Amino acid sequence: MIEKHRKTPIFPFTAIVGQEEMKLALQLNVIDPKIGGVMIMGDRGTGKSTTIRAIADLLPEIEVIKDDPFNSQPLKTDKKETEFIKIPMIDLPLGATEDRVCGTIDIEKALTMGIKAFEPGLLAKANRGILYVDEVNLLDDHLVDILLDSAASGWNTVEREGISIRHPAQFVLVGSGNPEEGELRPQLLDRFGMHAEIRTVKDPSLRVKIVEERTLFDINPEAWIEKYKDEQENLKKTIINAQTLLNTINLSYEDRIKIAQVCSELNVDGLRGDIVINRAAKAYTAFQGKTTVSTSDIEKVVVLCLRHRLRKDPLESIDSGYKVRKVFEEVFLS
């Protein structure tokens, strides 16, 4: 008899070699989803999809109302049956239509039976989880706008023929792409909380290690998952502890002024950069089990939060990350 719903083995997050910037950005976003998601840009075959699936598999299960299409969190007053499920990890395919993403209303049932029959879309399935868009730079701008609006507001509204349905859509938006295949429009890129850049590993010994780890996992995934069980459990506990600590973290007024000064000197449009650095620095502090943000904590996240918000001069060859680091050092360390 074929086993029903057989679980596909997921490569352990703690077994992933290198790509520290991408791993940190993902961890901080699951600690504080209000950071606003992460855009991962880099070469093909660098483990983007593997890492994103691994972080989702690592996270603790969530309690939901049984058979609820939106993975709704039960209230204390609820008498409904509940169950625990893995954090949803939803892939959005490039060819997806707006109906597939947002959901659709059955107009016929609404008109003939007076019932608001709603067919949930990917945004409903991703509620309280992670929504992953590979090659987001090739996705229709209209759909990217919808995703970013839902991620920012936490709600999805579907309107058709005068009928409107609104449901929660709180998720961590993760986009990835290869810059050689086209850049995301600056006004859309700016809406992502963080921007991680990844490159193909050049060190031969590290390349060999990555290939060996993957080969051994493919030969015997169960044994490999067991090998990293303790490390996975420790990281899971660290993330849960950080989520608990988050609201107690102290970021001094002096440091908040300096963060604002960095953004101002870099001519960052709007205040989104300031807000994201504040949130990310607190999340990183909580991740370390501390309660007070230090200069080194801010330094760890500032490039991830700002590199994609700088106005680009096509004639300039200086890396945006270098510019952010230089201004940070002038403001914080001089």
Side-chain angles (χ1 to χ4, degrees):
M1 185 178 171
I2 296 169
E3 186 185 341
K4 195 179 178 184
H5 303 309
R6 190 175 181 185
K7 189 184 173 188
T8 305
I10 306 283
F11 194 82
F13 187 83
T14 51
I16 292 168
V17 178
Q19 309 300 6
E20 300 304 321
E21 200 175 88
M22 170 169 60
K23 291 194 288 189
L24 177 63
L26 289 169
Q27 287 172 128
L28 296 184
N29 269 276
V30 297
I31 290 168
D32 183 4
K34 289 182 180 174
I35 286 172
V38 56
M39 180 67 187
I40 302 163
M41 292 297 268
D43 305 329
R44 284 183 293 271
T46 45
K48 297 188 285 286
S49 300
T50 300
T51 308
I52 293 155
R53 284 180 178 78
I55 190 78
D57 188 61
L58 173 76
L59 299 173
E61 292 186 332
I62 55 170
E63 188 179 11
V64 300
I65 295 170
K66 194 170 184 182
D67 299 325
D68 183 273
F70 312 116
N71 308 316
S72 299
Q73 186 171 2
L75 303 170
K76 287 180 182 176
T77 53
D78 270 334
K79 297 285 189 281
K80 297 172 183 174
E81 191 180 350
T82 65
E83 61 181 340
F84 282 87
I85 63 166
K86 290 292 292 180
I87 290 270
M89 158 69 193
I90 304 298
D91 278 289
L92 190 148
L94 265 185
T97 61
E98 186 176 335
D99 280 355
R100 173 91 188 278
V101 174
C102 299
T104 184
I105 298 167
D106 190 327
I107 296 298
E108 190 179 344
K109 271 190 183 177
L111 295 176
T112 58
M113 302 168 66
I115 301 170
K116 280 190 180 181
F118 179 61
E119 184 64 41
L122 297 176
L123 294 181
K125 293 175 183 176
N127 188 39
R128 299 178 68 201
I130 296 171
L131 182 64
Y132 173 47
V133 190
D134 192 13
E135 299 187 270
V136 67
N137 46 335
L138 303 181
L139 193 67
D140 180 68
D141 282 346
H142 172 59
L143 284 181
V144 178
D145 270 326
I146 289 170
L147 294 178
L148 291 165
D149 285 342
S150 294
S153 68
W155 291 91
N156 173 45
T157 304
V158 181
E159 292 179 337
R160 205 170 149 211
E161 308 294 334
I163 298 165
S164 177
I165 287 181
R166 189 168 181 256
H167 70 78
Q170 297 175 338
F171 51 84
V172 175
L173 179 62
V174 181
S176 67
N178 183 344
E180 292 175 6
E181 294 168 353
E183 292 281 355
L184 204 61
R185 282 193 289 129
Q187 58 268 46
L188 293 179
L189 190 56
D190 173 66
R191 300 269 296 277
F192 281 90
M194 303 179 110
H195 185 283
E197 288 184 358
I198 52 175
R199 296 283 174 261
T200 303
V201 175
K202 302 295 183 190
D203 183 336
S205 59
L206 208 54
R207 288 173 76 109
V208 169
K209 186 179 180 185
I210 293 167
V211 172
E212 286 177 349
E213 294 255 326
R214 184 71 219 193
T215 304
L216 289 167
F217 172 78
D218 289 339
I219 291 168
N220 191 342
E222 285 76 19
W224 207 242
I225 289 167
E226 185 62 32
K227 178 186 174 183
Y228 282 92
K229 188 178 176 183
D230 289 344
E231 283 182 52
Q232 290 279 102
E233 201 54 44
N234 288 336
L235 181 54
K236 186 186 287 187
K237 285 176 184 172
T238 302
I239 288 171
I240 294 169
N241 184 53
Q243 290 170 332
T244 308
L245 277 177
L246 198 58
N247 291 330
T248 68
I249 305 297
N250 175 51
L251 176 59
S252 72
Y253 179 74
E254 183 186 353
D255 281 343
R256 279 179 279 156
I257 288 287
K258 286 181 178 179
I259 288 168
Q261 190 181 339
V262 169
C263 293
S264 178
E265 291 192 17
L266 285 166
N267 292 317
V268 174
D269 290 331
L271 295 174
R272 199 172 277 128
D274 306 54
I275 293 166
V276 172
I277 295 171
N278 277 259
R279 285 195 174 280
K282 287 181 179 180
Y284 183 63
T285 302
F287 184 55
Q288 297 171 91
K290 304 186 304 179
T291 53
T292 303
V293 178
S294 67
T295 299
S296 62
D297 298 329
I298 301 167
E299 185 176 18
K300 190 77 177 177
V301 302
V302 69
V303 172
L304 281 167
C305 297
L306 290 185
R307 65 149 61 96
H308 56 305
R309 302 181 197 279
L310 305 193
R311 294 177 188 174
K312 285 190 177 175
D313 181 345
L315 300 175
E316 199 166 38
S317 59
I318 297 172
D319 171 54
S320 57
Y322 170 79
K323 285 170 74 176
V324 173
R325 276 187 289 272
K326 187 171 180 290
V327 172
F328 173 84
E329 287 169 6
E330 287 169 0
V331 172
F332 275 86
L333 306 177
S334 60

